[in-house]
Amino acid sequence: MRCKIMTVSSLENSTERLKGVLALVYLLCEIVEVSGIPEDAVRGVADLLETVCRDFQADIDAAENVNREEGRTDG
């Protein structure tokens, strides 16, 4: 299996963008009653984004550990 490693800064950038999308979904949750969007759908999207953000954070932590173990500072 081939392994590709993203830089920590790339992962952090992606995480921040996902958090921005998550903030918008939370806003939709607050106005779901007047928007006509099914609440379950909005909450499902929020749960999915939270999971993706958590996975990205785990990838960032793993990349930092790999860099530290290899003595690299280019993360």
Side-chain angles (χ1 to χ4, degrees):
M1 175 194 306
R2 288 186 345 165
C3 183
K4 296 182 180 181
I5 298 176
M6 293 177 68
T7 63
V8 171
S9 61
S10 293
L11 289 169
E12 288 172 339
N13 186 315
S14 296
T15 301
E16 290 306 310
R17 287 183 282 144
L18 285 168
K19 287 179 181 177
V21 173
L22 185 56
L24 290 173
V25 171
Y26 284 144
L27 179 62
L28 283 176
C29 287
E30 291 180 18
I31 63 168
V32 74
E33 291 178 9
V34 295
S35 70
I37 300 170
E39 184 175 352
D40 289 345
V42 176
R43 297 212 182 275
V45 171
D47 289 345
L48 175 62
L49 284 169
E50 286 176 354
T51 301
V52 171
C53 287
R54 191 170 43 245
D55 290 348
F56 263 76
Q57 187 60 54
D59 290 343
I60 290 168
D61 295 344
E64 290 172 343
N65 289 338
V66 167
N67 284 341
R68 191 170 24 260
E69 289 170 6
E70 294 178 357
R72 293 173 38 191
T73 59
D74 60 344

